[in-house]
């Protein structure tokens, strides 16, 4: 997220960029400083626990998306496909494999350290398991797996929670202790979780600011910047607490001034369409994609993608009093671990609470976890709320599957459709 | 008189609809799309205006008290004559372009001679193409002349032992240029007068009506363009409407109770749901793969060396459609050959191909929200009876009884919608 | 037939493709090598493959000055199962690999580009197939596609190659689908891109795909282009560029008989089988008509 | 005589599984009044269902007969075929005779299908059956047991017979027997592939996911005895291959036949894994629920859908190739199947290291054209045949 051209001039944005850049520098220096790294995933991850042992998290998904933003993914994917990886599968994995081949150079141009531990948090996506099986063949390092069961019946049962907590206690913590050579410190964890909860409060306030008219934020395109620190390496840190406090202050100020969101081309002038967006964004043409919205005055007021790491807006907070249990619930509760009925309920609630004009699905070729079922979700939300629903297709990091003219054509039709339905301006 | 025009720049054909001041359809025009979009648009509008004038002519004749039967005969003859004039004009242009290419290129005297022979024959045959009750393989000069040229030149190539491919290549080069230079700007009046000279059924009344119509001033008051598949449409941004909306509105105008619209064009298929005001509520279209669109049928027709409009009727004769899976447009020919070599009957294969196309459309329809009553089928493929039959059957099987609307002018649906948008805009400005 | 007569066999290979039929008549001297006595080819042009195979076969025999009963083995490949007078059939890639080695003994791989498919086959020096990749069910980047586009541009297949070499600024053709690519091409024409640059652009995008096939096989060394499009010098040039531009050391070459590689390979395998079976005391009938 | 009987058995098997209206299931329900529950490929504890008087019915997609009309309204083009044909069957009413569906943890597509089922068929039982990827008894085992208990409770709520230890023991015995016969058939095919053509074995196995277990045992046993005795089945000069990747969406029968015709003997495969998922007979002495759990944890087949833990991917495949005396591997996976296709490069690495030749292609269950595959498999077989031992 740091490579994107400077679009936000706000302090919070600068702060965020520095935080992330510093983290990558620290990773690059790790072989010299002796700091150790743990590779793990975004959804429902155990950042606090990892940092409890002073280990540095590395998130291959983030590397992949950064590679895409820097225009490297095409070549990485090609390299992986040359090795026999199929065209049909998740491009994050291929991008990561290709990046490894190209020397494992991270987004800041510095080399990423090899993992000292692969912490496979198998949450909300089956591909994660395959991904780390592949990485395990690449690196000669220990791997430990946290299997997080799916909320198939739409709830977290005691046995699920127990299964996760037991694994954390009996497998994950010992593996982390072994990798770091440090003992687990529960009091430190409680402190971390307290800070997590604090940052989470501010983040929720930021996301919910979109209920204002005009919305001061874009909760999808802008949103991906907001969730960066909390879903990656910073949850539970003092830095995160500061960042989210600052961010929230800025946003509340925008609300007070009645300002719209900042877009790649400056402040958005008129808010013409309020959308809820389901599905991850495309990273290879992120700005081009965003522009297709901002130019038409479309603001994303809520999105499911900004809940991939974890869902906070239904009240979940990390809890210092139930440290391991709340970690387990965090893992179990991330958006892609919800069953389809719960996802539909969530989107419906967003459409209503954020007074959206429509639901737009960006269906991602790579990601079965998100995409399988989206067509049905779209119809269901449409039926329940009566708002027009739109559908576009692209991919996360494979530029071959981003057809700008096609998407633009669909989006324009969609916007005109909303407008027509309003009995509005043009017709 | 003022008119508004809607233009639908499609991947295979460009269509125009001209509306009069009170919103009535004055005329429709169609041409094949080509690389010069502006010319394609001009030609289609030109054609629409020609058909508008023919319409006005009929009105004028009616006003003069000419009875319906006679009017019909007169108009048909006149129109056939008019088309023949057009054709001959295009043929002359083709001849001169080919002559130039022959001189400039590396062609032998033998080759030049063969081409001249062929062109002469085409000139001679022109008369037999047109006349009362005659119908042609296509309405487009490219196809019409191309078909004939190919046939004639094959014979020439054989008797003179020349390369057939080279002679075909020459035509392909020439037609590209012909299409992209002549913007049918020769006036309506000279052609209609020549046509008048040609027909037996002329009389003073007709001549008078023609003069009146020729003198009539048609002024463009507004225009809206639509079209898909091209990054750059030759219209100002504010004069462009999404194809989806145009099709929705156009279908609504033709059949006000329409709730679902299916459009199958050359490269894309669209399933659209509209409300009682013709406003689109949801839509789906194919993406990145043109399998199962109209172009597919084009390849098949080419492969079988028959006209597009003959394809459907042939498929309709089938009693036992073959099951076809791949609808990749480019593989169409191969699939056909393979099936034929397996001993399957031509009409059964064709029926299977049509069903396969419609199956894909059914998927899109399902995706867009199903098929509501009433249902309208538009786009070029709606002209194909086998496609319609397959659609009817599949709807019956999967959705039960539905009213299926198909207009003979279905190919103009998008252009009609666009024209209506133009009209609304003009009214808005006009009244303000 | 006596033992020494097996040293020199007369064999034919018939490659029935989706666009054309290739026939060769060869003399195979076993370990001492083989030579092509005559070759012919004929485009199908909507005719019955079996009929075209028969007439092409006849004219090839005639050119070789032989009659069908002179032959010891008639081998088919491709869709050759439709040929009723064959002695035996070999799968396309097996045949192309053998034909490739015959035409270019140093070749490490062949790239067979036909009307509908392209396939890369990697083999060892004995023509043993080590691996292969094919383009998918989708026709983008096939010979047929190139043919359609050139037709639209008014260029004959013979002119395509030389024209492509004249390109100075190839236009990238992006669409994945062959049909949608046609629209792309029309767009290019409307932007007044020269025909040469358009064609070279298509050649480049096809070559990119094919090079990918070769690279994914990890081919190193020479690859021989076979099949109908081997006659297209533009495509071959584009392939050379595509194979050189990225790291990997693949060189591309072609041979005047490249289009006949399948037929040649089949014929040689036919001789091989004949000897092998004769060694077991089996005699095959050549059922030529 | 016996050849005819073999043909009869195979034909009735093919008919059973191709019958999308599930007539045999309807007949069973009428006769017994019991519940019938569908399950998606790979694995479910059928013993448990059987013990509660429920008929487990394998639903392995719509095959190549089904035209997809509404299914595409649920799945984008880049998702494999089996979920769309399954939902097509559901919406078309063909699965109405089922009282519910079980969706084992195969992949995200099947997982999400379980949620779609809840929307489309709210009146039916629909359950995502999570299986542990942690294989310790105290964690994964406990969790799996709780999943099984939840399933038991769900079935009871739907009117199934209450859970009973003895009944489960009896069911385990039956399924042990079925599993044994299938393993015997696989062994026979490894030894003499001409005796057990894969296309036949496939039909029988597939139907055996629909037939009541007692019937399946009888038919498979009869088939086994007949082919053993059939002297007319003699060997041909074909290449011996192991087929991998077809564990979920099933290839069309025509594809299997094409492979055999193009010169390959399939001597091992991963079709219809439910019969062989647990690789040995389950314990019938102790707590039967425990036996199910332990079987799953310790004696299950390796599969792309199962975490390989500390083992190296592909070693198991190498072992299978060696056990089967195979000369090569055909990776034959459904298009867009993430588990199979992501696994493949790792498996390839292992078998290449072991010097085993391989080739790969993709299919979808409704493929109708096999030329390309025939060509590939034929070339592969050619190259093994022409060069083996050289
Ligand atoms: N007379 C006809 N009979 C049958 N099919 C036709 C006829 N005219 C056009 N078509 C079909 O319609 C297609 C073109 O449809 P159209 O709606 O004009 O497409 P587009 O808008 O993409 O140009 C052709 O590819 C052809 O298959
Ligand atoms: N002289 C030529 N230059 C370039 N391409 C050619 C030439 N002759 C034939 N081709 C191309 O070769 C293709 C036929 O290749 P072929 O190998 O015969 O195909 P198949 O094996 O599928 O029949 C055709 O698509 C045609 O475009
Ligand atoms: S499938 Fe989706 S969630 Fe899983 S790794 Fe790929 S992009 Fe991420
Ligand atoms: S399958 Fe055919 S129609 Fe579809 S993308 Fe490929 S070439 Fe185009
Ligand atoms: S075929 Fe593969 S991707 Fe599809 S449902 Fe089965 S396991 Fe999942």
């Amino acid at each position: 997220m740091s490579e994107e051209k400077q679009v936000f001039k706000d302090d919070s944005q600068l702060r965020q960029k520095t935080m992330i850049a510093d983290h990558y520098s620290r990773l690059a220096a790790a072989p010299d400083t002796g700091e150790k790294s743990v590779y793990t995933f975004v959804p429902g991850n155990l950042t606090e626990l990892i940092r409890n042992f002073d280990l540095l998290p590395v998130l291959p998904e983030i590397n992949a998306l950064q590679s895409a933003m820097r225009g490297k993914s095409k070549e990485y994917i090609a390299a992986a496909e040359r090795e026999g990886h199929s065209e049909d599968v998740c491009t994050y994995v291929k991008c990561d494999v290709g990046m490894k081949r190209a020397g494992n150079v991270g987004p800041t141009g510095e080399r990423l350290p090899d993992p000292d531990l692969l912490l496979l948090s198998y949450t909300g996506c089956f591909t994660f398991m395959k991904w780390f099986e592949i990485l395990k063949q690449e690196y000669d390092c220990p791997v430990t797996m946290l299997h997080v069961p799916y909320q198939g019946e739409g709830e977290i049962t005691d046995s699920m929670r127990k299964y996760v907590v037991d694994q954390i206690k009996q497998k994950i913590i010992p593996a982390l202790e072994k990798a770091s050579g440090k003992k687990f410190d529960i009091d430190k964890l409680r402190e971390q979780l307290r800070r997590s909860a604090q940052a989470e409060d501010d983040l929720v306030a930021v996301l919910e600011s979109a209920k204002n008219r005009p919305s001061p934020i874009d909760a999808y395109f802008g949103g991906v910047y907001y969730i960066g620190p909390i879903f990656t390496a910073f949850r539970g840190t003092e830095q995160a607490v500061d960042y989210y406090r600052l961010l929230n202050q800025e946003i509340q100020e925008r609300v007070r001034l009645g300002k719209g969101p900042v877009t790649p081309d400056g402040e958005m002038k008129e808010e013409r369409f309020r959308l809820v967006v389901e599905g991850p964004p495309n990273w290879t043409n992120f700005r081009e994609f965003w522009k297709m919205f901002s130019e038409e005055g479309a603001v994303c007021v809520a999105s499911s993608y900004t809940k991939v790491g974890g869902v906070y807006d239904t009240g979940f907070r990390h809890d210092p009093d139930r440290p391991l249990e709340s970690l387990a619930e965090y893992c179990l509760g991330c958006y892609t671990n919800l069953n389809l009925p719960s996802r539909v309920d969530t989107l419906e609630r967003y459409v209503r609470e954020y007074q959206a004009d429509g639901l737009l699905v960006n269906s991602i070729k790579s990601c079965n976890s998100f995409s399988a079922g989206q067509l049905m979700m779209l119809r269901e939300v449409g039926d329940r709320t009566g708002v027009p629903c739109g559908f576009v297709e692209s991919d996360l990091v494979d530029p071959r599957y981003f057809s700008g003219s096609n998407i633009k054509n669909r989006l324009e039709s969609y916007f005109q459709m909303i407008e027509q339905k309003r009995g509005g301006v043009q017709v | 008189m003022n008119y508004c025009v809607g233009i639908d720049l499609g991947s295979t054909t460009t269509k125009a609809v001209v509306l009069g001041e009170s919103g009535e359809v004055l005329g429709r025009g169609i041409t094949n799309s080509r690389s010069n979009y502006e010319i394609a648009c001009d030609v289609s509008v030109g054609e629409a205006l020609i058909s508008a004038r023919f319409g006005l002519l009929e009105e004028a004749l009616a006003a003069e008290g000419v009875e319906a039967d006679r009017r019909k005969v007169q108009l048909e003859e006149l129109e056939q004559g008019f088309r023949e004039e057009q054709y001959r004009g295009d043929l002359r242009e083709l001849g001169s372009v080919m002559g130039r290419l022959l001189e400039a290129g590396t062609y032998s005297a033998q080759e030049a001679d063969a081409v001249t022979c062929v062109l002469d024959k085409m000139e001679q045959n022109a008369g037999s193409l047109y006349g009362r009750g005659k119908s042609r393989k296509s309405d487009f000069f490219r196809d019409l002349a191309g078909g004939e040229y190919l046939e004639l030149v094959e014979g020439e190539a054989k008797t003179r032992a020349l390369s057939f491919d080279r002679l075909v290549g020459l035509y392909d080069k020439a037609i590209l240029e012909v299409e992209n230079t002549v913007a049918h700007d020769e006036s309506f009046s000279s052609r209609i007068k020549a046509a008048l000279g040609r027909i037996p059924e002329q009389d003073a009344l007709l001549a008078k009506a023609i003069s009146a119509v020729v003198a009539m001033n048609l002024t463009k008051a507004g225009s809206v363009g639509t079209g898909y598949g091209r990054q750059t449409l030759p219209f100002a941004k504010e004069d462009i409407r999404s194809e989806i909306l145009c099709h929705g509105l156009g279908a609504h105008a033709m059949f006000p109770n329409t709730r679902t619209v299916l459009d199958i064009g050359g490269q894309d298929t669209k399933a659209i749901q509209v409300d009682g005001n013709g406003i689109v509520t949801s839509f789906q279209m194919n993406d990145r793969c043109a399998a199962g669109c109209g172009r597919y049928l084009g390849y098949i027709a080419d492969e079988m060396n028959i006209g597009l409009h003959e394809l459907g009727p042939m498929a309709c004769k089938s009693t036992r459609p073959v099951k076809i899976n791949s609808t990749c447009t480019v593989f169409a020919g191969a699939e056909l050959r393979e099936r034929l070599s397996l001993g399957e009957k031509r009409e059964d294969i064709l029926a299977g191909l049509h069903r396969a196309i419609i199956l894909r459309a059914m998927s899109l329809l399902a995706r867009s929200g199903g098929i509501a009553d009433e249902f309208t089928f538009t786009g070029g493929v709606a002209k194909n009876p086998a496609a319609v039959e397959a659609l009817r059957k599949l709807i019956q099987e999967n959705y039960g009884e539905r009213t299926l609307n198909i207009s003979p002018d279905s190919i103009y649906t998008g252009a009609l919608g666009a024209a209506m948008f133009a009209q609304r805009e003009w009214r808005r400005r006009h009244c303000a | 037939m006596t033992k020494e007569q097996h040293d020199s066999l007369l064999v034919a290979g018939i490659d029935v493709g989706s666009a054309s039929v290739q026939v060769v008549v060869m003399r195979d001297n076993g370990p001492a090598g083989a030579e092509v006595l005559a070759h012919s080819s004929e485009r199908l042009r909507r005719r019955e493959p079996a009929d075209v195979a028969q007439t092409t076969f006849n004219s090839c025999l005639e050119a070789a000055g032989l009659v069908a009963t002179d032959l010891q083995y008639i081998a088919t490949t491709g869709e050759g199962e439709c040929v009723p007078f064959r002695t035996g059939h070999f799968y396309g890639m097996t045949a192309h690999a053998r034909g490739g080695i015959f035409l270019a003994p140093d070749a490490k791989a062949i790239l067979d580009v036909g009307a509908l498919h392209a396939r890369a086959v990697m083999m060892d020096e004995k023509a043993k197939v080590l691996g292969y990749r094919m383009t998918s069910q989708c026709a983008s980047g096939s010979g047929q596609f190139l043919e359609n586009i050139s037709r639209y541009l008014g260029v004959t297949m013979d002119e395509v190659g030389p024209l492509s070499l004249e390109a100075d600024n190839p236009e990238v053709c992006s669409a994945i689908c062959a049909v949608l690519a046609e629209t792309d091409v029309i767009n290019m024409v409307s932007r007044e891109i020269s025909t040469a640059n358009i064609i070279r652009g298509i050649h480049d995008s096809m070559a990119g795909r094919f090079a990918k096939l070769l690279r994914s096989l990890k081919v190193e060394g020479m690859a021989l282009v076979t099949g109908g499009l081997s006659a297209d010098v533009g495509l071959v040039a584009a392939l050379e560029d595509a194979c050189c531009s990225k790291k990997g050391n693949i060189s591309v070459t072609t041979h005047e008989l490249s289009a006949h590689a399948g037929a040649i390979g089949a014929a040689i395998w036919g001789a091989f089988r004949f000897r092998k079976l004769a060694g077991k005391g089996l005699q095959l009938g050549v059922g030529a008509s | 005589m016996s050849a005819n009987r073999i043909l009869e058995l195979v034909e009735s098997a093919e008919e059973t599984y191709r019958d999308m209206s599930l007539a045999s299931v309807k007949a069973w329900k009428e006769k017994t009044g019991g519940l019938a529950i569908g399950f998606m490929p790979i694995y479910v504890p059928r013993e448990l269902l059987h013990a509660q008087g429920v008929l487990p019915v394998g639903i392995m997609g719509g095959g190549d007969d089904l035209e997809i009309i509404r299914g595409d309204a649920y799945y984008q083009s880049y998702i494999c075929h089996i979920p769309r044909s399954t939902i097509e069957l559901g919406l078309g009413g063909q699965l109405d005779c089922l009282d519910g569906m079980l969706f084992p943890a195969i992949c995200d597509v099947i997982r999400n299908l379980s949620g779609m089922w809840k929307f489309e068929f709210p009146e039916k039982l629909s359950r995502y059956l999570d299986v542990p990827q942690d294989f310790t008894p105290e964690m994964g085992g406990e969790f799996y047991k709780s999943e099984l208990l939840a399933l038991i409770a769900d079935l009871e709520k739907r009117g199934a017979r209450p859970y009973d230890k003895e009944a489960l023991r009896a069911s385990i015995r039956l399924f042990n027997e079925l599993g044994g016969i299938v393993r015997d058939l696989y062994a026979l095919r490894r030894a003499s592939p001409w005796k057990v053509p894969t296309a036949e074995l496939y039909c029988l196995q597939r139907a055996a996911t629909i037939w009541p277990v007692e019937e399946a045992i009888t038919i498979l046993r009869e088939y086994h005895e007949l082919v053993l005795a059939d002297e007319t089945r003699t060997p041909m000069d074909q290449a011996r291959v192991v087929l991998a990747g077809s564990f979920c969406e099933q290839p069309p029968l025509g594809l299997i036949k094409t492979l055999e015709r193009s010169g390959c003997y399939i001597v091992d495969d991963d079709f219809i894994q439910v019969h062989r998922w647990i690789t040995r007979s389950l314990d019938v002495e102790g707590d039967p629920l425990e036996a199910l759990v332990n079987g799953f944890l310790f004696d299950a087949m390796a599969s792309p859908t199962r975490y390989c833990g500390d083992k190296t991917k592909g070693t198991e495949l190498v072992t299978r190739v060696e056990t089967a005396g195979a000369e090569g591997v055909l990776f034959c996976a459904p298009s867009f199947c993430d588990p199979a296709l992501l696994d493949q490069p790792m498996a390839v690495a292992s078998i290449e290291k072991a010097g085993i030749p391989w080739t790969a292609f993709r299919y979808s269950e409704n493929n109708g054209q096999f030329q390309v595959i025939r060509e590939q498999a034929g070339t592969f077989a050619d190259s093994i045949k022409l060069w083996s031992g050289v």
Side-chain angles (χ1 to χ4, degrees), chain B residues 288-292 327-331, chain C residues 137-140 176-180:
Chain B
R288 249 177 267 123
C289 172
T327 41
C328 169
T329 310
V330 186
F331 280 120
Chain C
Q137 276 295 335
C138 168
S140 46
I176 298 180
C177 168
V179 181
L180 301 183

Side-chain angles (χ1 to χ4, degrees), chain C residues 87-162:
Chain C
T87 324
H89 182 79
F90 297 92
Y91 285 95
M93 291 184 275
T94 321
H96 271 272
R98 188 65 190 88
I101 290 290
F102 174 80
L103 295 174
D106 293 337
K108 298 286 178 268
I110 57 111
L111 181 74
D112 168 26
V113 191
L116 295 180
H117 297 285
R119 47 199 149 210
V121 182
M122 183 161 71
M123 64 265 177
D124 66 10
E125 67 288 352
K126 291 186 223 143
K128 176 178 177 182
V129 175
L130 301 175
Y132 47 83
R133 295 277 189 283
M134 300 175 81
T135 48
S136 64
Q137 276 295 335
C138 168
S140 46
S142 65
Q144 183 71 51
F145 164 56
L146 186 62
E147 223 167 301
N148 293 345
I149 295 293
S150 1
R151 179 88 223 267
Y152 181 84
L153 294 171
V155 181
T156 64
M157 284 314 282
D158 292 330
E159 294 166 345
V160 160

Side-chain angles (χ1 to χ4, degrees), chain A residues 88 124 126 130 133 136 147 149-150 152-153 159 163 171 336 340 363 369 371-372 375-376 379 384 393, chain D residues 73 76 78 106 108 111-112 116 118-119 130-131 133-134 143 146 304-305 308-309 311 313 336 343 362:
Chain A
D88 290 355
F126 193 87
K130 302 277 109 191
E133 284 177 351
K136 201 186 96 190
H147 176 206
Y150 181 61
E153 301 300 309
S159 78
Y163 179 39
K171 270 199 308 201
T336 42
L340 257 45
S363 157
S369 175
S371 305
L375 283 161
M376 192 212 66
R379 285 194 295 274
R384 290 192 194 173
E393 289 177 283
Chain D
Q76 298 88 326
Y78 50 78
I106 300 175
D108 296 333
R111 184 193 78 182
N112 289 5
M116 293 164 76
K118 286 192 195 307
F119 275 110
D130 217 343
V131 297
Q133 300 286 3
D134 174 287
F143 171 68
S146 73
T305 66
C308 76
K311 296 190 213 74
K313 263 283 152 166
F336 304 110
D343 226 44
R362 282 171 291 173

Side-chain angles (χ1 to χ4, degrees), chain A residues 61 90 92 125 127-128 131 366-369 396:
Chain A
E61 293 154 287
C90 174
Y92 263 3
C125 165
T127 303
F128 289 152
W131 193 340
S366 268
C367 186
N368 288 345
S369 175
L396 294 163

Side-chain angles (χ1 to χ4, degrees), chain D residues 223-300:
Chain D
Y223 174 81
H224 187 200
E225 283 159 8
L226 287 172
V227 292
L228 254 184
D230 188 347
E231 294 301 328
T232 61
R233 300 190 162 197
T234 51
M236 287 191 295
D237 175 21
Q238 305 226 66
R240 298 170 60 96
V241 300
V242 170
L243 185 140
S246 313
F247 49 85
C248 179
E249 181 175 323
Q250 298 294 302
L253 193 59
L255 172 56
I256 299 177
K257 290 184 176 162
T258 302
L259 294 179
E260 295 194 293
R261 271 189 213 135
S262 66
C264 298
Y265 276 136
I266 299 170
V267 289
D268 198 2
D269 61 55
D270 53 11
F271 304 137
I272 332 265
Q273 287 181 324
V274 64
H275 300 304
R276 285 164 296 118
W277 185 262
I278 310 287
T279 52
R280 62 167 181 85
S281 287
L282 292 179
D283 204 359
V284 281
E285 299 307 321
D287 176 9
L289 211 52
E290 212 62 58
L292 276 182
V293 171
N294 286 335
F296 184 86
L297 295 180
F298 304 121
D299 299 299

Side-chain angles (χ1 to χ4, degrees), chain A residues 79-127:
Chain A
E81 288 183 359
R82 245 188 339 265
E83 280 187 17
H85 286 271
S86 168
E87 279 166 40
D88 290 355
V89 301
C90 174
T91 48
Y92 263 3
V93 181
K94 289 184 279 186
C95 190
D96 190 33
V97 169
M99 182 174 116
K100 167 95 200 310
R101 290 294 168 274
N104 221 13
V105 173
T108 47
E110 294 161 299
R111 199 174 185 287
L112 292 171
D114 285 356
D116 296 286
L117 175 70
L118 292 169
L119 168 52
L120 164 49
S121 51
Y122 170 35
T123 306
C125 165
F126 193 87
T127 303

Side-chain angles (χ1 to χ4, degrees), chain A residues 83-90 93 120 122-127 129-134 136-137 143-145 147-154 157 159-160 162-163 166-168 170-171 336-345 361 363-377 379-380 384 391 393-394, chain D residues 70-80 87 105-120 126-128 130-136 138-143 146-147 154 303-314 334-350 362:
Chain A
E83 280 187 17
H85 286 271
S86 168
E87 279 166 40
D88 290 355
V89 301
C90 174
V93 181
L120 164 49
Y122 170 35
T123 306
C125 165
F126 193 87
T127 303
M129 193 167 91
K130 302 277 109 191
W131 193 340
F132 268 32
E133 284 177 351
I134 293 170
K136 201 186 96 190
Q137 292 202 329
V143 49
T144 183
M145 117 98 79
H147 176 206
V148 178
Y150 181 61
Q151 288 196 36
E153 301 300 309
T157 63
S159 78
M160 290 176 185
K162 178 171 179 310
Y163 179 39
D166 284 351
Q167 292 179 81
I168 295 177
Q170 297 177 34
K171 270 199 308 201
T336 42
N337 208 46
L338 304 180
N339 72 357
L340 257 45
S342 314
R343 279 170 65 186
V344 167
D345 291 345
V361 173
S363 157
I364 291 290
K365 173 183 177 285
S366 268
C367 186
N368 288 345
S369 175
F370 256 105
S371 305
Q374 277 174 333
L375 283 161
M376 192 212 66
M377 292 166 63
R379 285 194 295 274
E380 191 68 29
R384 290 192 194 173
F391 187 79
E393 289 177 283
S394 64
Chain D
R70 274 155 297 190
D72 284 343
Y74 290 76
Y75 287 98
Q76 298 88 326
S77 52
Y78 50 78
I79 290 178
C80 60
I87 202 126
I106 300 175
C107 72
D108 296 333
V109 174
I110 298 292
R111 184 193 78 182
N112 289 5
L113 180 62
S114 75
M116 293 164 76
W117 220 262
K118 286 192 195 307
F119 275 110
E120 298 298 338
S126 125
R127 221 193 134 78
Y128 177 71
D130 217 343
V131 297
Q133 300 286 3
D134 174 287
F135 305 114
T136 58
E138 60 278 14
M139 295 187 281
E142 281 304 305
F143 171 68
S146 73
E147 280 288 295
D154 265 2
S303 155
T305 66
R306 199 178 149 94
Y307 183 51
C308 76
D310 284 332
K311 296 190 213 74
T312 306
K313 263 283 152 166
S335 297
F336 304 110
C337 176
D338 272 43
L341 295 170
L342 283 163
D343 226 44
Q344 196 169 300
M346 295 185 271
V348 164
S350 285
R362 282 171 291 173

